[in-house]
């Protein structure tokens, strides 16, 4: 559905009108998104995510390489390609003096949609996004969440084949995040391909079918969420315990066991908080060993690995 081939993008820096250098944002970036995927686009700050999105939607031109939508180069068929894309930016720009109904009519004109079709689709979108009761209110009185939902309606009005969202949950409360997730899942079930850039990795893990991770303008990993879940299950997990009576000899005994290591020990008054790294099947051995040595266990909490652990591993723990 979407393919990037060796996309290069540099930003020029100037001083007193003269070019003084270049900052490389995208370095021969290549990846592909198949039809029907919900693709999570990840990377640390400054990795090139927003630049990539701006190149895909046509706000920026790449310096070299190509971007294809269903095999068509967007540079050669710009209008044709743009008609297949819906875009929700992080910072939504809407006219405060217009109502949602007027907003949809205004933007629908850019796609040369008939007024009757705009009215029909707009009514359906506003209802799905919970804005039907506010369809005649001025946007200036809307909350950030309501503005984002209206901007999403605008991006879907022309029935795109690809929906691109840049930090869509930014500024939304938990109820708004849940509502947005439900809408995106429904749209995807109807065949819409979705590309989602976000720092909220729990949301990416919840809704996406595939992920791509970039760092310093390069793709460093692309995989299915199912593959990542399978991978993290094989790796060691962390186990947090709150205990009393823990001694150095107990610590040595735990560390001698293959597959177990005490990575953190914190004194909390009469108690000690332990953080262990171990295979999940060794949890019973740890608890049995501690109890047999007279150590009292007050709480135990396994911390399973997640997409966040994979992200930090692939991007060097964010130490850029």
């Amino acid at each position: 559905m979407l393919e990037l081939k060796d996309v290069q993008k540099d930003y020029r820096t100037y001083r007193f009108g003269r070019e003084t250098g270049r900052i490389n944002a995208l370095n021969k970036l290549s990846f592909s998104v198949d039809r029907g995927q919900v693709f999570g686009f990840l990377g640390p700050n400054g990795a090139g995510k927003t630049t990539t999105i701006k190149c895909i939607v046509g706000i920026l031109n790449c310096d070299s390489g190509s971007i294809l939508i269903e095999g068509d180069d967007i540079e050669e068929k710009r209008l044709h390609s743009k008609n297949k894309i819906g875009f929700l930016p992080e910072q939504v720009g809407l006219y405060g003096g217009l109502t949602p109904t007027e907003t949809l009519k205004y933007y629908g004109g850019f796609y040369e949609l008939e007024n009757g079709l705009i009215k029909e689709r707009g009514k359906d979108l506003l209802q799905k996004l919970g804005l039907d009761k506010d369809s005649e209110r001025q946007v200036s009185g809307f909350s950030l969440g309501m503005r984002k939902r209206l901007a999403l309606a605008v991006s879907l009005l022309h029935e795109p084949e690809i929906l691109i969202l840049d930090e869509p949950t930014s500024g939304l409360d938990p109820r708004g995040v849940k509502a947005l997730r439900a809408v995106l899942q429904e749209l995807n079930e109807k065949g819409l391909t979705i590309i989602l850039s976000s720092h909220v990795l729990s949301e990416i893990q919840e809704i996406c079918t595939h992920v791509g991770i970039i760092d310093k303008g390069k793709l460093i990993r692309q995989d299915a969420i199912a593959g990542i879940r399978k991978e993290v299950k094989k790796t060691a997990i962390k186990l947090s315990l709150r205990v009393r009576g823990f001694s150095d000899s107990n610590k040595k005994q735990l560390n001698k066991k293959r597959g177990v290591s005490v990575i953190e020990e914190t004194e909390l008054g009469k108690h000690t908080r332990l953080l262990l790294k171990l295979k999940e099947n060794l949890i019973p051995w740890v608890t049995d060993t501690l109890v047999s040595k007279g150590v009292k266990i007050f709480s135990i909490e396994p911390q399973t690995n997640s997409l966040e652990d994979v992200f930090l591993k692939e991007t060097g723990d964010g130490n850029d």
Side-chain angles (χ1 to χ4, degrees):
M1 188 68 189
L2 172 69
E3 185 177 8
L4 278 73
K5 295 181 178 180
D6 296 326
V7 174
Q8 188 85 14
K9 178 64 182 177
D10 295 332
Y11 290 108
R12 294 170 176 80
T13 57
Y14 295 88
R15 184 176 176 82
F16 302 120
R18 295 183 178 180
E19 184 178 329
T20 57
R22 296 192 180 193
I23 299 172
N24 179 235
L26 302 179
N27 187 3
K28 295 188 179 299
L29 179 63
S30 300
F31 68 88
S32 60
V33 180
D34 293 337
R35 181 180 291 276
Q37 287 185 354
V38 183
F39 186 84
F41 193 42
L42 309 176
N45 290 331
K49 301 187 300 298
T50 298
T51 297
T52 303
I53 289 173
K54 286 182 176 180
C55 288
I56 294 172
V57 302
I59 296 174
L60 294 175
N61 292 323
C62 52
D63 296 330
S64 62
S66 56
I67 301 174
L68 310 175
I69 294 180
E70 290 191 317
D72 294 326
D73 193 311
I74 64 169
E75 291 295 326
E76 298 175 1
K77 296 186 177 181
R78 186 171 290 272
L79 288 177
H80 177 71
S81 298
K82 282 190 174 184
N83 279 330
K84 294 185 177 184
I85 298 174
F87 177 43
L88 178 65
E90 180 179 4
Q91 302 294 332
V92 297
L94 298 169
Y95 294 102
L98 300 181
T99 66
T101 301
E102 292 168 340
T103 298
L104 291 172
K105 183 177 180 180
Y106 173 73
Y107 284 103
F110 286 100
Y111 295 96
E112 299 182 345
L113 300 177
E114 296 180 357
N115 288 337
L117 188 58
I118 294 174
K119 186 175 180 180
E120 179 185 341
R121 290 181 184 175
K123 183 178 179 181
D124 181 56
L125 286 168
L126 293 178
Q127 186 175 9
K128 284 181 179 178
L129 295 168
L131 294 172
D132 50 318
K133 294 180 180 178
D134 300 287
S135 62
E136 301 306 322
R137 280 181 57 195
Q138 285 193 344
V139 174
S140 58
F142 281 15
S143 66
L144 175 60
M146 294 172 73
R147 287 171 179 263
K148 282 216 165 186
R149 281 181 279 158
L150 178 55
L152 178 59
V154 170
S155 67
L156 294 169
L157 186 63
H158 61 294
E159 294 188 340
E161 296 180 40
I162 303 175
L163 176 64
I164 301 175
L165 307 100
D166 191 6
E167 297 293 343
T169 60
S170 175
L172 295 184
D173 60 20
R175 188 172 296 177
V177 171
K178 184 178 180 181
L180 177 64
R181 185 196 308 153
V183 170
L184 295 180
Q185 288 174 335
E186 180 184 345
L187 291 168
N188 179 247
E189 287 171 2
K190 293 181 178 179
L192 181 65
T193 302
I194 299 173
I195 299 173
L196 176 65
S197 173
S198 177
H199 285 105
V200 186
L201 299 186
S202 59
E203 279 302 311
I204 292 285
Q205 189 167 325
E206 184 73 24
I207 191 174
C208 292
T209 59
H210 296 73
V211 294
I213 303 175
I214 69 168
D215 194 14
K216 298 179 176 65
K218 287 185 176 182
L219 183 76
I220 56 177
R221 179 159 186 181
Q222 182 172 355
D223 203 348
I225 285 288
I228 290 177
R229 286 199 180 107
K230 190 175 181 180
E231 174 187 321
V232 298
K233 281 183 179 180
K234 293 180 180 179
T235 59
I237 68 168
K238 292 178 183 178
L239 185 71
S240 176
L241 302 100
R242 188 166 61 91
V243 301
R244 181 187 291 177
F246 187 76
S247 63
D248 287 340
S249 62
N250 300 138
K251 184 177 180 179
K252 289 178 181 178
Q253 186 175 12
L254 293 180
N255 284 330
K256 281 183 179 179
K257 179 70 174 179
R258 185 177 180 181
V260 179
S261 61
V262 180
I263 59 176
E264 190 177 309
E265 182 181 350
T266 308
E267 296 300 325
L268 303 171
K270 295 181 179 180
H271 297 147
T272 302
R273 180 185 176 275
L274 300 176
L275 189 62
L276 279 62
K277 188 175 183 180
L278 74 173
K279 292 293 182 67
E280 193 169 0
N281 62 346
L282 291 176
I283 293 178
W285 179 87
V286 168
T287 56
D288 289 346
T289 300
L290 291 176
V291 171
S292 68
K293 297 300 181 181
V295 178
K296 294 182 178 180
I297 300 176
F298 290 87
S299 68
I300 179 167
E301 182 182 353
Q303 299 176 6
T304 56
N305 291 306
S306 64
L307 177 58
E308 181 177 2
D309 298 284
V310 175
F311 175 83
L312 293 174
K313 175 185 173 184
E314 298 289 355
T315 58
D317 293 338
N319 295 323
D320 53 357

